[in-house]
Amino acid sequence: MTSLTETDLAPAASTSLVDVRGVSKSFGATRALIKGNFDVRPGEVHVLAGENGAGKSTLIKILGGVHRPDAGTVCRDGAPISFRSPREAMAAGVSVIHQELSLIPTMSVMDNIMLGREHSVLGFMTRESQRAFVDGALARIGLAIDPDRLLGSLPVGAQQMIEICKALSTGSGSRLIIMDEPTSALTEPEVERLFTAIAGLKADGCGIIYITHKLEEVYRIADRITVLRDGQHVITAPVDAMPANELIRHMVGRPLAEQIKRRAPLPGVTVLTALGLTVIDRTVHSDAAASPDGTRRVRVSPMNLTVRAGEIVGLAGLQGSGAGDVLAAVFGALDSRYAVHGSMTLAGRSYIPQSPGRAIANGVALLTSDRHRTGFVPAMSIRANTSLAALQTVSPLGWLLMARERALADAVIQTLRVRAQAMTVPITTLSGGNQQKIVLAKWMCTSPRLLLLDEPTRGVDVGAKHEIYELMNQWTEQGMGILLITSEMPELLAMADRIVVMHRGRVMDVMTRNQADAERIIHAAMGGEINGIAE
Amino acid sequence: MASLSETHIRERLHDLRVLWRRVWAYPVTPAIMALVLVLCIGLTFPGEKPIVYGDDGQEMQLPAAFHKWTTHRDTLRLVSVYGILACGMTVVIITAGIDLSVGSVLGLTAVCFPLLLMYFHWPPVLAVCGTLAIGTVCGLVSGGITAVFRIQPFIVTLAMMVFARGLAKAVTGGKKAPLYIQSEDGTIHYPPVVQAIRTRWFDDNLAVVTVVFLISALITWILLSRLRWGRYLYAIGGNEQAARLSGVPVAASKILAYALAGLFSAVAGICQAAQETNGDPEAGATYELTAIAIVVIGGTNLMGGSGGIGLTVLGALTIGYIQKILSINQVPEAWRLMLTGIIIVAAVLVQRRRA
Ligand SMILES: Nc1ncnc2c1ncn2[C@@H]1O[C@H](COP(=O)(O)OP(=O)(O)OP(=O)(O)O)[C@@H](O)[C@H]1O
Ligand SMILES: [Mg+2]
């Protein structure tokens, strides 16, 4: 009976690189994937879309040998297969770029790329041939990174590029390459390089599964789109047959205004002023124009910055612009390797950010850009992660009041509409986007007056993105000041009331929302001539 | 019809599997299973049944050692000192650290206690507090060096392990420090504190050291699950960077964790000295390894960020029974060591969860 329907559904299976039929997967009570159907043909980019927790990562983890399906079949080149480990999947020509970085920070770039397939003769690694291989792989996606550098010393974006480079350099021939939100940590030029590489792979006859929450990307590279919702297959269609509003309707289950609207209240009192804010890297000694990979002595040249209540100030810049260092300096998160100079006032009082603890006590919050490394504690529950930064308020004299903690955390989680089976399960059981919401919830619990946001909507679905923008509107209406870093131009243009553009640690341009346009921002971010600074 | 009941059975089986997975997901389940496994071994090898001859010359069989209550009571008493050490060790391991010095600090405090009490004639309360303070200071020093200079705790506490042992020997000149007074006629008197700690209540059924162990476990439980500080420890062990950026006072929390381990070492040192009625500078050698084994067998992860004191109590019982069962079966020392090693690995394997 069942086998009959399966053959009915199957298209010309022989033409598919991979064919997923009726695959289901549950985690405890959560049904992450219910009878998913999906196929990829050679030379196509198949975009997998859906809200946070829709089951996209689960599907590709099944393809990549991380999870085993509870039911259903997966065919590779027409033959049914069942990968028992990522290694088997890799051997079958399936390479996966996972949503969470899977590299080893304490190893060099080269060793990371070669891990698991070292070139060796009788067990001794042959350095020269490895080196040539890695140089070739790096050059193919246009990366100028020294292969001997420690991976952990690179910025997140560069690490993500290495991960991509690693996946692209495995095997050859008609392969399947799976990318789970590869661009969420990349800057504009890096994204371009990735897209060029993807075009090359398509020409070679590879099939590509691409997961993203960025609509512009979908329409730039997709050939076909499959939408999942609540673990179920909704629709598969060629990209031409699916305009953006249609796509969003399928994902969210209801129509959604695509426009982001900023309701800017009148700016109130000054929340933060920084005069001559400077960040120096003590470990770098030469003042000379720094090395190409972004290490330099002066991370941030003396700059002035004000954020007023109700205002969203955007900090724009490419990788290594120093925008992230500014946030870290204001939050007191820089370690003793860096020296911070300049004077700051917070809500009119002099403010010296010594430690994150002091910053939080003063009403400052920092949402970091890398939630896995610096955002949450994987082994702890959703609720414990949410209340972590605000524990002081629910534990008078150090004694934890469980009921008060629950009330505080659950209320915030509810306003962010997190999809979770229970608040007591580990945060790692959440989908990527919902993890991001928890990290945001953590900071809402501290009710900050100055919120520093570094890529707040990274990995968050369209619907949730709109919810976060709406929340930013509400928070500024309540008098919060926000300093925002985002690599998404539409987000920056839509949400920032004022934009400060930085390049190599220097402020290049400042503009109000009316003056801002993408071209001017990019021009300044690339180090273009200063168009009249309004400082 | 047949197929219907077949699907019915299959559904039931599925339900059972789901239930089993849910039960298995509780951290205590594997720890209890390890303990049950060891108890089963005990039931299989309950020791020899001693044969005695009654007044009438009749042969009488007494119950085997494992079937006697006294065996279990002794197990509990013997494991108590290790258990007290394991309480502090749990706290440190949750922060992703390790404290190798607990055994040596036990030795140091075991000689300091008689010294303060008998030699300097401090009042008992002061002597106990002073000894506890010495242990705490040892912990503070290791914790401080670890947290402030960011040296790996393995190295720092290894150094403290050697140092504290040396100090213990220096204090008494390598001799044992007696905790009793021998009067002219040869009778031995114990000071009241020592007597109090050595006693067993309820007809010898409950040793005071066991009570001390259970109280230590209770205190640790409160610290870990009811204090803000406990939450901080889990956060630090789980992701130190994220914890720091969430405003957790990382250094202070860590230092306190090592101080607590030092404090519990001193508690164990006093108990040990009182039980042996003298302070032996060699006391507690390799105890740190047993304490670590207890924590790990309980199921607390050496990588930090998870675990709890309930697990450690179960682990203490498991280790205690392993040793007791080997001893009632008169397994020779050499075999005892080898079997202990094998059983530890087996117990940890039982606990490992499959994804
Ligand atoms: N290891 C796990 N244990 C329990 N539940 C899980 C696990 N992995 C995923 N889930 C649940 O399965 C559902 C689907 O998750 P999945 O990661 O596939 O979502 P996603 O579509 O990739 O979302 P996102 O866009 O946010 O990354 C979610 O509800 C998630 O909570
Ligand atoms: Mg995902």
Side-chain angles (χ1 to χ4, degrees):
Chain A
M1 196 44 209
T2 31
S3 62
L4 219 154
T5 27
E6 267 169 24
T7 36
D8 280 351
L9 277 170
S14 55
T15 62
S16 296
L17 275 179
V18 74
D19 198 355
V20 175
R21 290 291 129 201
V23 164
S24 302
K25 177 79 190 171
S26 303
F27 298 101
T30 314
R31 306 190 67 186
L33 194 60
I34 307 159
K35 299 211 170 112
N37 293 326
F38 189 71
D39 73 301
V40 185
R41 301 174 192 148
E44 85 165 344
V45 175
H46 197 146
V47 165
L48 201 50
E51 287 183 293
N52 294 134
K56 306 180 295 293
S57 296
T58 305
L59 176 60
I60 65 115
K61 278 180 187 160
I62 288 171
L63 288 176
V66 177
H67 292 325
R68 302 186 70 179
D70 299 337
T73 56
V74 179
C75 294
R76 172 106 173 86
D77 292 326
I81 40 142
S82 159
F83 299 133
R84 270 165 304 176
S85 69
R87 218 186 155 88
E88 282 188 21
M90 215 194 261
V94 178
S95 15
V96 186
I97 301 164
H98 283 291
Q99 193 168 8
E100 296 85 27
L101 288 179
S102 55
L103 301 173
I104 301 172
T106 50
M107 295 196 341
S108 72
V109 169
M110 177 159 106
D111 293 343
N112 264 294
I113 293 178
M114 299 308 298
L115 189 64
R117 54 203 165 100
E118 288 83 2
H119 293 181
S120 61
V121 177
L122 301 173
F124 291 96
M125 288 199 260
T126 49
R127 224 190 120 71
E128 281 70 36
S129 83
Q130 291 206 65
R131 180 66 190 237
F133 181 87
V134 169
D135 283 341
L138 288 172
R140 220 169 311 138
I141 56 170
L143 272 183
I145 292 177
D146 177 7
D148 289 326
R149 260 188 83 168
L150 271 194
L151 185 98
S153 70
L154 297 171
V156 199
Q159 293 189 21
Q160 179 74 52
M161 285 307 273
I162 301 292
E163 171 118 16
I164 292 169
C165 179
K166 176 179 179 178
L168 297 192
S169 62
T170 41
S172 60
S174 67
R175 289 173 300 136
L176 180 66
I177 294 158
I178 303 174
M179 306 188 183
D180 195 353
E181 301 187 36
T183 57
S184 60
L186 298 187
T187 58
E188 210 84 8
E190 286 166 339
V191 173
E192 289 310 315
R193 268 181 243 148
L194 174 64
F195 286 175
T196 317
I198 288 178
L201 290 170
K202 274 174 76 170
D204 290 346
C206 296
I208 291 155
I209 302 176
Y210 193 97
I211 299 179
T212 183
H213 289 295
K214 299 179 184 171
L215 291 183
E216 321 89 74
E217 288 182 1
V218 174
Y219 289 99
R220 267 204 59 187
I221 62 166
D223 296 307
R224 280 196 299 161
I225 304 177
T226 289
V227 179
L228 297 181
R229 190 188 329 133
D230 297 330
Q232 274 168 323
H233 179 259
V234 177
I235 190 173
T236 299
V239 67
D240 309 323
M242 183 121 63
N245 53 358
E246 190 91 337
L247 175 61
I248 292 173
R249 192 170 59 77
H250 284 306
M251 282 197 288
V252 187
R254 65 195 147 84
L256 191 76
E258 213 193 320
Q259 280 298 313
I260 312 168
K261 285 219 179 58
R262 165 91 177 119
R263 298 192 307 272
L266 283 181
V269 293
T270 310
V271 177
L272 173 81
T273 52
L275 287 177
L277 180 65
T278 315
V279 179
I280 308 259
D281 186 343
R282 290 191 227 249
T283 59
V284 182
H285 294 296
S286 79
D287 267 326
S291 50
D293 52 10
T295 51
R296 57 171 186 269
R297 199 174 110 80
V298 182
R299 301 292 310 164
V300 177
S301 314
M303 70 179 283
N304 301 338
L305 187 70
T306 59
V307 180
R308 283 184 288 173
E311 192 182 31
I312 299 181
V313 177
L315 269 183
L318 305 177
Q319 204 122 78
S321 67
D325 297 300
V326 172
L327 293 201
V330 173
F331 191 62
L334 292 171
D335 55 33
S336 54
R337 185 181 151 180
Y338 300 96
V340 180
H341 303 298
S343 66
M344 282 187 238
T345 61
L346 193 71
R349 277 186 297 156
S350 155
Y351 166 64
I352 302 164
Q354 282 162 326
S355 69
R358 289 288 294 277
I360 293 167
N362 277 295
V364 184
L366 168 66
L367 182 94
T368 56
S369 64
D370 184 351
R371 61 173 171 265
H372 294 281
R373 263 206 297 189
T374 52
F376 62 72
V377 184
M380 293 207 318
S381 70
I382 297 176
R383 185 180 292 138
N385 265 294
T386 309
S387 62
L388 184 58
L391 273 187
Q392 311 255 2
T393 60
V394 295
S395 54
L397 302 173
W399 185 268
L400 260 185
L401 299 173
M402 300 295 206
R404 222 193 271 180
E405 182 199 8
R406 191 176 327 136
L408 174 76
D410 293 9
V412 176
I413 289 174
Q414 220 149 53
T415 61
L416 291 175
R417 280 191 247 164
V418 174
R419 200 172 292 183
Q421 28 173 327
M423 293 303 141
T424 47
V425 300
I427 188 171
T428 40
T429 63
L430 289 180
S431 76
N434 282 313
Q435 290 172 357
Q436 182 72 9
K437 288 191 198 169
I438 294 299
V439 186
L440 201 55
K442 173 174 81 178
W443 292 117
M444 292 338 295
C445 285
T446 68
S447 17
R449 55 178 148 215
L450 175 65
L451 182 58
L452 312 171
L453 296 176
D454 197 347
E455 305 288 355
T457 59
R458 169 168 291 169
V460 164
D461 69 46
V462 246
K465 242 179 219 174
H466 279 69
E467 284 166 21
I468 290 178
Y469 297 144
E470 180 50 34
L471 286 167
M472 284 164 72
N473 278 331
Q474 287 174 16
W475 294 333
T476 48
E477 277 163 1
Q478 290 158 13
M480 195 188 292
I482 295 180
L483 199 52
L484 169 75
I485 294 183
T486 172
S487 54
E488 282 190 63
M489 194 56 86
E491 183 170 302
L492 181 69
L493 288 172
M495 294 310 291
D497 302 323
R498 211 148 45 84
I499 297 173
V500 178
V501 190
M502 297 179 66
H503 172 75
R504 299 191 64 76
R506 286 182 26 226
V507 173
M508 303 305 289
D509 201 354
V510 178
M511 58 197 96
T512 64
R513 98 190 260 103
N514 298 332
Q515 300 162 336
D517 63 66
E519 223 165 295
R520 181 167 163 189
I521 294 171
I522 291 171
H523 177 74
M526 309 261 277
E529 288 301 304
I530 298 167
N531 298 337
I533 274 194
E535 260 186 275
Chain B
M1 201 53 216
S3 73
L4 208 154
S5 71
E6 196 179 304
T7 51
H8 184 75
I9 290 172
R10 217 174 263 166
E11 265 171 28
R12 269 294 123 77
L13 275 178
H14 182 255
D15 286 355
L16 274 179
R17 272 200 0 233
V18 169
L19 184 73
W20 168 241
R21 257 189 237 154
R22 197 163 300 164
V23 172
W24 187 243
Y26 286 110
V28 291
T29 314
I32 291 174
M33 278 189 37
L35 179 58
V36 169
L37 180 85
V38 168
L39 289 178
C40 287
I41 297 176
L43 288 175
T44 323
F45 303 100
E48 257 176 55
K49 294 179 183 165
I51 296 173
V52 293
Y53 295 95
D55 297 335
D56 50 357
Q58 257 324 72
E59 228 177 59
M60 283 206 315
Q61 263 200 347
L62 293 182
F66 201 75
H67 299 144
K68 279 191 298 193
W69 157 242
T70 48
T71 309
H72 300 273
R73 153 191 109 183
D74 289 347
T75 307
L76 207 56
R77 180 171 56 84
L78 290 176
V79 85
S80 292
V81 167
Y82 296 110
I84 297 168
L85 292 182
C87 288
M89 190 66 81
T90 307
V91 172
V92 170
I93 285 181
I94 281 174
T95 69
I98 191 100
D99 191 345
L100 298 178
S101 68
V102 290
S104 295
V105 175
L106 184 152
L108 174 63
T109 48
V111 296
C112 286
F113 181 54
L115 201 71
L116 296 180
L117 190 71
M118 316 293 287
Y119 188 79
F120 292 114
H121 300 292
W122 284 21
V125 178
L126 273 189
V128 169
C129 290
T131 312
L132 296 182
I134 291 170
T136 311
V137 167
C138 290
L140 278 175
V141 170
S142 344
I145 296 175
T146 308
V148 175
F149 298 106
R150 305 227 178 123
I151 305 179
Q152 286 182 346
F154 189 96
I155 309 288
V156 176
T157 59
L158 183 70
M160 178 56 82
M161 169 175 134
V162 180
F163 179 85
R165 182 67 66 196
L167 188 58
K169 289 181 182 177
V171 165
T172 64
K175 291 195 290 285
K176 292 184 182 178
L179 263 176
Y180 50 82
I181 305 154
Q182 202 162 11
S183 51
E184 255 112 77
D185 55 359
T187 48
I188 288 174
H189 300 278
Y190 301 111
V193 232
V194 177
Q195 192 54 44
I197 301 172
R198 294 181 66 220
T199 352
R200 303 174 202 169
W201 294 337
F202 308 117
D203 284 342
D204 268 9
N205 278 328
L206 185 62
V208 171
V209 275
T210 304
V211 176
V212 173
F213 166 43
L214 294 178
I215 292 175
S216 305
L218 183 70
I219 291 175
T220 316
W221 179 78
I222 292 174
L223 294 179
L224 285 177
S225 58
R226 285 292 177 273
L227 291 198
R228 191 200 310 155
W229 175 59
R231 187 65 67 76
Y232 284 167
L233 297 180
Y234 283 100
I236 292 169
N239 184 346
E240 190 169 327
Q241 278 290 355
R244 190 175 74 91
L245 290 173
S246 300
V248 172
V250 174
S253 305
K254 271 191 186 175
I255 292 173
L256 279 179
Y258 287 89
L260 189 74
L263 175 69
F264 279 135
S265 305
V267 172
I270 294 174
C271 291
Q272 176 93 350
Q275 278 189 313
E276 295 185 350
T277 66
N278 57 48
D280 182 355
E282 300 287 352
T286 73
Y287 279 28
E288 59 279 340
L289 300 181
T290 309
I292 294 171
I294 286 174
V295 175
V296 171
I297 276 206
T300 294
N301 190 343
L302 274 181
M303 306 295 283
S306 65
I309 200 66
L311 300 176
T312 296
V313 172
L314 288 171
L317 291 177
T318 310
I319 287 275
Y321 272 113
I322 290 176
Q323 300 195 337
K324 194 73 196 177
I325 290 164
L326 292 175
S327 93
I328 58 178
N329 285 290
Q330 279 136 24
V331 178
E333 166 84 7
W335 283 97
R336 210 179 286 184
L337 292 174
M338 288 191 278
L339 279 173
T340 309
I342 292 168
I343 294 173
I344 288 177
V345 171
V348 171
L349 278 180
V350 168
Q351 299 198 13
R352 203 176 49 195
R353 40 197 72 197
R354 273 141 285 204

